[in-house]
Amino acid sequence: MHIYKLSGRNVEVTDAMRDYVEEKLSRLDRFNDQITDARVTLTVRDVRDAARRNRVEVQLNVPHGIIRAEEHHADMYAAIDRASDVLERQLRKFKTRYLKHRHDAAPQPEPGPAEADVEAGLDDVSEFQPEIVRQKRFEMRPMSPEDAVAQMEALGHDFYVFMNMKTGICGVVYRRKDGHYGLIEPSA
């Protein structure tokens, strides 16, 4: 298993929890050549919705990116299970893209008759490749983050890009899962 940092917020991380996290994340061993670092945070929160009481956040650093999962559940162990499943799917997708990129960079041999049928679209199994299908341009007028949140809410969006009038830097406000707002700005 790769080395990871496990911490707890408002919860004491017991040996049983540590062992369970290690057991669940050991399923990611087959992606070990891609994972450079991992952080796991277990949090118990005082919230009204019991199903969101326990939160598991996992961040895996991989070459050229970060893979992250955040899951909530009434039971901490179930939240760990969910996060592990999400990470496995994301890592599988990352590895597929990584190998496909390497494969596309290599010279391709001429297809044989059976391979030509597959390339011609006769194969029903195809992988969805997301692409940019829409592009927008808009004028950004300087405003405060609070005004950007008001604009976002007025438009019914989950995020809003704006120019911060105090810093002159482009930023993004967004609605968090917990109902609060977040602000993303580049560091100086």
Side-chain angles (χ1 to χ4, degrees):
M1 177 69 200
H2 52 276
I3 297 173
Y4 63 91
K5 180 183 174 192
L6 177 63
S7 61
R9 292 186 188 149
N10 299 328
V11 64
E12 180 184 340
V13 179
T14 63
D15 288 340
M17 284 180 174
R18 185 175 302 279
D19 292 344
Y20 195 74
V21 167
E22 189 169 327
E23 175 190 329
K24 285 300 181 178
L25 294 183
S26 68
R27 292 192 309 182
L28 307 177
D29 280 347
R30 64 179 158 226
F31 303 104
N32 205 13
D33 60 331
Q34 301 296 323
I35 300 169
T36 58
D37 181 20
R39 284 189 283 150
V40 180
T41 306
L42 308 178
T43 307
V44 175
R45 302 178 311 157
D46 186 22
V47 293
R48 290 182 189 182
D49 184 5
R52 299 186 60 81
R53 178 175 165 77
N54 296 295
R55 178 173 63 193
V56 175
E57 298 170 86
V58 184
Q59 178 177 314
L60 304 176
N61 295 323
V62 294
H64 310 294
I66 294 173
I67 295 177
R68 186 175 182 286
E70 178 180 323
E71 289 297 321
H72 302 84
H73 199 276
D75 177 52
M76 182 65 79
Y77 292 95
I80 293 168
D81 288 343
R82 285 181 171 182
S84 174
D85 292 343
V86 167
L87 288 169
E88 188 171 0
R89 278 193 310 271
Q90 289 178 346
L91 279 168
R92 190 178 308 118
K93 193 182 294 185
F94 174 82
K95 188 172 183 178
T96 302
R97 268 191 248 131
Y98 176 76
L99 292 175
K100 182 180 181 337
H101 178 71
R102 286 184 57 200
H103 179 71
D104 288 347
Q108 299 295 322
E110 290 296 319
E115 294 161 341
D117 291 343
V118 171
E119 288 180 11
L122 300 177
D123 185 15
D124 289 342
V125 180
S126 64
E127 184 177 325
F128 174 72
Q129 294 292 327
E131 60 184 270
I132 297 172
V133 295
R134 186 173 181 193
Q135 191 173 15
K136 283 188 173 183
R137 294 186 186 276
F138 59 94
E139 186 176 328
M140 290 187 0
R141 59 182 179 85
M143 63 178 66
S144 70
E146 292 77 17
D147 290 338
V149 167
Q151 286 290 315
M152 177 185 73
E153 290 296 338
L155 293 169
H157 291 175
D158 293 326
F159 69 93
Y160 189 80
V161 181
F162 72 103
M163 181 71 65
N164 191 321
M165 62 192 226
K166 291 181 184 171
T167 63
I169 296 174
C170 180
V172 176
V173 291
Y174 63 96
R175 185 178 303 113
R176 295 172 39 95
K177 290 180 182 177
D178 63 7
H180 294 285
Y181 301 107
L183 171 64
I184 301 172
E185 288 184 321
S187 60

